[in-house]
């Protein structure tokens, strides 16, 4: 696999959660909350959430709804960078000797730029397009179109990199971007459709198990 197979892309667009940022601690807090409110054990909550994710549902939110528990606000302050996020962005970004411009297309609360800056990685990123600021969210193709327009790049010359088949891979495939699935977080449990046509749009051009795998492609 190499960039020639990707038409030598000039832009790499990333999701944030479970792609650049490890959300494990956030989910742990949500599972504890569900356990406290429901009377289920923490292990029972974990098992139920995992099963729902395997059904292509947003497991934690779905379980809260089914149990009649108020939806807990997402705690971004509990997110941390994956250990290799900063180093691989340094290697990829044109600003630090790499080949690519780096963009973000993400469903995030207000203040995405500030959080990326606090993580120490905003300096490698050329464009941030986040749902809270744009008024539209993935999988709506509009947010992808906004990002491509602001970057001044054609879909075919860009790559969408994310952990979610539904939010990242399917809409990016439909708009003509190349796609790379990072199998991190709960997104790795996606159940692919048995229908050939549906499966075709779900399939990413490339798959990696973690961020370090990107450097073998780019």
């Amino acid at each position: 696999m190499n960039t020639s197979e990707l038409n030598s892309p000039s832009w790499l667009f990333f999701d944030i959660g479970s792609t650049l940022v490890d959300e494990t601690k956030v989910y742990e807090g949500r599972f504890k909350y569900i356990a406290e409110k429901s009377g289920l054990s923490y292990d029972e909550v974990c098992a139920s959430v995992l099963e729902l994710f395997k059904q292509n549902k947003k497991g934690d939110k779905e379980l809260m709804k089914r149990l009649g528990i108020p939806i807990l606000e997402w705690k971004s302050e509990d997110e941390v960078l994956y250990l290799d996020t900063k180093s691989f962005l340094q290697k990829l970004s044109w600003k630090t000797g790499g080949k690519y411009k780096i963009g973000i297309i993400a469903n995030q609360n207000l203040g995405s730029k500030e959080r990326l800056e606090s993580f120490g990685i905003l300096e490698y990123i050329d464009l941030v397009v986040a749902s809270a600021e744009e008024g539209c969210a993935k999988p709506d193709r509009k947010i992808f179109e906004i990002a491509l327009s602001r970057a001044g790049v054609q879909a075919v010359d860009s790559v969408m990199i994310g952990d979610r088949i539904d939010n990242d891979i399917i809409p990016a495939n439909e708009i003509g971007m190349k796609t790379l699935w990072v199998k991190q977080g709960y997104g790795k449990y996606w159940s692919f459709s048995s229908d050939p046509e549906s499966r075709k749009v779900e399939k990413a051009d490339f798959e990696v198990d973690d961020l370090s795998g990107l450097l073998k492609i780019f």
Side-chain angles (χ1 to χ4, degrees):
M1 293 182 184
N2 54 56
T3 53
S4 64
E5 297 176 64
L6 293 167
N7 293 325
S8 299
S10 54
W11 277 82
L12 306 180
F13 290 96
F14 290 86
D15 178 42
I16 294 179
S18 293
T19 300
L20 300 178
V21 169
D22 187 346
E23 300 174 313
T24 300
K25 290 184 180 179
V26 186
Y27 279 111
E28 288 175 351
R30 292 169 82 79
F31 298 166
K32 289 176 183 177
Y33 167 80
I34 295 171
E36 290 168 0
K37 293 291 184 180
S38 68
L40 295 172
S41 71
Y42 182 84
D43 288 343
E44 287 173 326
V45 171
C46 291
S48 296
V49 167
L50 178 58
E51 183 57 35
L52 288 167
F53 271 109
K54 289 180 178 179
Q55 297 171 27
N56 298 343
K57 302 181 186 295
K58 188 69 171 66
D60 50 323
K61 280 189 176 182
E62 183 67 22
L63 186 57
M64 284 184 245
K65 289 177 183 177
R66 293 186 180 189
L67 294 172
I69 297 170
I71 303 298
L72 182 67
E73 182 179 349
W74 185 265
K75 295 186 177 180
S76 301
E77 62 270 23
D78 290 337
E79 297 172 344
V80 296
L81 283 185
Y82 285 111
L83 293 177
D84 47 359
T85 296
K86 190 170 184 177
S87 62
F88 94 83
L89 285 177
Q90 286 176 327
K91 292 175 182 177
L92 293 174
S93 174
W94 69 275
K95 297 179 179 181
T96 44
K99 299 178 181 179
Y100 308 100
K101 290 189 176 181
I102 306 295
I104 297 293
I105 305 175
N107 289 349
Q108 291 283 305
N109 297 328
L110 290 169
S112 296
K113 283 187 178 180
E114 290 77 10
R115 286 194 294 278
L116 294 171
E117 186 170 24
S118 71
F119 286 134
I121 60 173
L122 186 62
E123 63 183 296
Y124 310 114
I125 296 169
D126 299 278
L127 176 67
V128 177
V129 176
S131 58
E133 285 83 3
E134 302 302 334
C136 56
K138 298 183 298 185
D140 188 342
R141 65 185 295 163
K142 182 178 178 181
I143 196 168
F144 294 86
E145 291 169 345
I146 289 170
L148 293 172
S149 176
R150 290 185 187 163
V153 64
Q154 297 296 313
V156 70
D157 297 320
S158 65
V159 184
M160 181 65 206
I161 300 163
D163 67 300
R164 294 273 297 272
I165 296 295
D166 53 349
N167 276 0
D168 300 314
I169 305 306
I170 292 175
N173 277 338
E174 290 177 337
I175 203 173
M177 301 173 76
K178 294 299 184 180
T179 52
L180 192 151
W181 182 29
V182 184
K183 296 187 283 185
Q184 297 182 143
Y186 283 100
K188 67 185 176 184
Y189 295 109
W190 180 265
S191 295
F192 288 92
S193 173
S194 58
D195 175 65
E197 289 304 311
S198 297
R199 177 63 188 266
K200 187 184 299 183
V201 77
E202 291 176 323
K203 183 174 174 56
D205 294 297
F206 298 89
E207 298 180 7
V208 295
D209 292 325
D210 52 39
L211 294 175
S212 61
L214 290 170
L215 296 178
K216 298 176 182 178
I217 298 174
F218 300 109

